[in-house]
Amino acid sequence: MSTLPLNLETDDFKLPAPAMPAQATLDQVLKRRHSTRSFRPDPIPPAALSALLWAASGVNREQVGGRTAPSARDWKEVDVYAVLAEGTYRYDPRTNRLLLVSPEDLRSATGVQDFVAQAPLNLVYVAELDRMVDAASEDRPFLAGADTGFMAQNVYLCCAALGLGTVVRALIDRRRLAQALGLPPNQRITLAQSVGYAAATA
């Protein structure tokens, strides 16, 4: 059963306000940060999902539209897609909403490792190269990759604060995933990141 309050009339839903645990200090989350590749199937609650997406690309300065992660020349060229069992959504930072991209479970398409299909959430970072005005074509992939790295690290620290596990991934069949997401040629998948509650290890 879906844990998301989907608006069936508009195929989107408003996320709850993001909230980080007040007791989590920067020192603590840096010490806890690590990669996890084995996840329990438990869904991520909407409040935690909102915090993760806000950490990746949310608005932290309303008056200027500033984001939680830096972006070269303020292009904001990287969008975040949330791939869940109940469907795939694009995160809209300005309204803190998820917009439906596909009602299908596309988790297995987000990477080549077996665990990605079991992770309750896979984030996919997609760069729209046309937003990178005046950047040389050979520089665009590098700059988009750097911006994605900032976003993925924010998610790592958020996961450490929330008691979630995560791992960032580059092993992706990008052509297959781009087709599944319906991406046009000017949009490129940079990285993916699996998130969930870590499974117990022996």
Side-chain angles (χ1 to χ4, degrees):
M1 185 175 183
S2 174
T3 61
L4 304 178
L6 182 63
N7 184 335
L8 296 179
E9 294 182 358
T10 62
D11 287 334
D12 72 1
F13 65 89
K14 178 77 172 176
L15 288 162
M20 299 293 181
Q23 69 274 16
T25 66
L26 179 60
D27 176 70
Q28 289 172 333
V29 296
L30 286 171
K31 287 179 178 177
R32 295 173 190 164
R33 191 224 66 80
H34 68 282
S35 293
T36 300
R37 295 174 176 81
S38 182
F39 301 95
R40 304 202 309 262
D42 311 48
I44 296 173
L49 178 60
S50 179
L52 289 165
L53 292 167
W54 179 81
S57 184
V59 175
N60 65 355
R61 286 153 289 154
E62 290 285 350
Q63 66 276 17
V64 295
R67 300 287 179 84
T68 55
S71 170
R73 297 181 61 177
D74 202 30
W75 283 315
K76 300 183 180 73
E77 79 283 2
V78 180
D79 290 323
V80 185
Y81 287 69
V83 184
L84 301 149
E86 48 269 83
T88 296
Y89 304 83
R90 180 176 59 81
Y91 177 56
D92 182 356
R94 294 168 299 177
T95 62
N96 197 39
R97 286 182 178 274
L98 285 183
L99 309 177
L100 184 66
V101 172
S102 171
E104 298 180 30
D105 182 354
L106 301 179
R107 290 177 296 168
S108 64
T110 66
V112 300
Q113 298 105 318
D114 291 340
F115 66 82
V116 304
Q118 280 75 50
L121 169 66
N122 286 288
L123 302 176
V124 178
Y125 300 95
V126 177
E128 186 170 329
L129 302 182
D130 289 350
R131 297 180 196 168
M132 306 174 79
V133 180
D134 297 330
S137 58
E138 63 269 20
D139 291 337
R140 291 181 180 188
F142 169 78
L143 293 170
D147 288 346
T148 300
F150 297 131
M151 298 164 77
Q153 178 68 346
N154 280 5
V155 171
Y156 262 106
L157 298 180
C158 183
C159 285
L162 294 172
L164 292 164
T166 188
V167 63
V168 69
R169 303 182 282 98
L171 293 175
I172 306 164
D173 184 339
R174 285 173 170 80
R175 178 175 295 182
R176 176 192 176 202
L177 182 53
Q179 290 176 342
L181 296 177
L183 300 180
N186 68 318
Q187 292 183 331
R188 305 288 178 84
I189 296 164
T190 54
L191 291 171
Q193 190 167 14
S194 297
V195 181
Y197 294 99
T201 56

